Amino acid sequence: MQTITISGKARAGVGKVATKADRAAGNIPCVMYAGNEVVHFTSTLSELRGILYTPKFFKALINIDGTVHEALLKDVQVHPVTEEIRHIDFHKLIPGKKVIVDIPISVVGSSQGVREGGKLLVKVRKLKVKSTPENLVDHIEVDITPLKLGQSLKVRDIKPEGFEILNSPSIPLVSVEITRALRSAATDAAKAEASSKKK
């Protein structure tokens, strides 16, 4: 899966005074959780921008004073007024230990229903999955090729490899909607056919 490298520095202090000093210096306080282990460090917005402002799903390689940790972005605390990034939580990845994450879906293929004038609706953007770090993927492909007008693909139609999807199997992911124009055209065609039969 895709990775992004982030440089950080271990925090000497974690109290209010130290946190205020870190922010005043242009640094963002961060915490990385790994079971009972908690790693406190700081980084900068320029280092973190790539993982914060993207719809993509990345695995972070966090280099803290020369030691590299594999982690996932867990939570971002933002100031309610200024929208300044105040604090960031990461979850450290441990080989063989499962994690629960939200992974974006990627729509692929060409639907017959869309080619006939239907409108493709993407109803779910991400799926919640449980997986070991070794089997994590940066996106889940949803192939719309078999979809005809009025049909949909549900969670149960996805066949995961190496991970478990936690969403309800009955939830529709994508569908091909019959547009108003198509319905109107079908109605007009039916009326025309009925009229010709009467003649």
Side-chain angles (χ1 to χ4, degrees):
M1 65 178 295
Q2 296 184 76
T3 62
I4 188 166
T5 302
I6 297 169
S7 293
K9 294 182 179 180
R11 297 183 68 190
V14 295
K16 289 184 178 180
V17 175
T19 298
K20 187 175 181 179
D22 285 332
R23 289 176 179 147
N27 297 316
I28 299 174
C30 303
V31 175
M32 180 169 55
Y33 297 94
N36 295 326
E37 179 188 4
V38 180
V39 179
H40 296 272
F41 67 100
T42 61
S43 190
T44 62
L45 184 58
S46 60
E47 286 284 337
L48 296 162
R49 189 181 300 277
I51 200 170
L52 291 176
Y53 304 113
T54 177
K56 296 181 179 180
F57 180 67
F58 286 106
K59 177 169 64 177
L61 303 179
I62 306 176
N63 187 329
I64 304 174
D65 299 335
T67 301
V68 178
H69 308 265
E70 291 189 350
L72 298 176
L73 181 66
K74 184 179 180 182
D75 187 47
V76 180
Q77 295 178 20
V78 180
H79 191 283
V81 178
T82 65
E83 296 188 352
E84 174 191 16
I85 305 294
R86 306 290 287 170
H87 191 275
I88 299 176
D89 291 345
F90 289 91
H91 182 95
K92 184 176 179 177
L93 294 174
I94 300 173
K97 187 172 182 179
K98 292 184 178 181
V99 292
I100 295 176
V101 293
D102 293 325
I103 297 181
I105 71 166
S106 175
V107 176
V108 298
S110 177
S111 162
Q112 177 183 333
V114 173
R115 292 196 300 272
E116 292 175 352
K119 182 179 181 181
L120 181 68
L121 296 179
V122 180
K123 299 186 176 183
V124 174
R125 297 288 177 180
K126 295 182 178 181
L127 288 172
K128 188 175 293 293
V129 310
K130 179 187 285 188
S131 172
T132 59
E134 297 82 2
N135 290 317
L136 282 175
V137 293
D138 47 40
H139 68 275
I140 298 172
E141 288 191 352
V142 176
D143 187 359
I144 63 171
T145 301
L147 288 184
K148 297 179 180 179
L149 284 170
Q151 293 184 334
S152 64
L153 282 173
K154 296 182 171 60
V155 171
R156 67 167 65 96
D157 298 316
I158 304 300
K159 308 302 179 186
E161 295 184 11
F163 59 87
E164 175 188 358
I165 298 177
L166 302 180
N167 302 76
S168 171
S170 61
I171 293 177
L173 297 174
V174 294
S175 63
V176 178
E177 183 183 61
I178 302 173
T179 63
R180 185 177 299 175
L182 282 177
R183 292 183 190 278
S184 177
T187 300
D188 291 343
K191 289 180 179 178
E193 185 179 353
S195 176
S196 63
K197 286 181 177 179
K198 288 180 181 180
K199 292 178 182 179

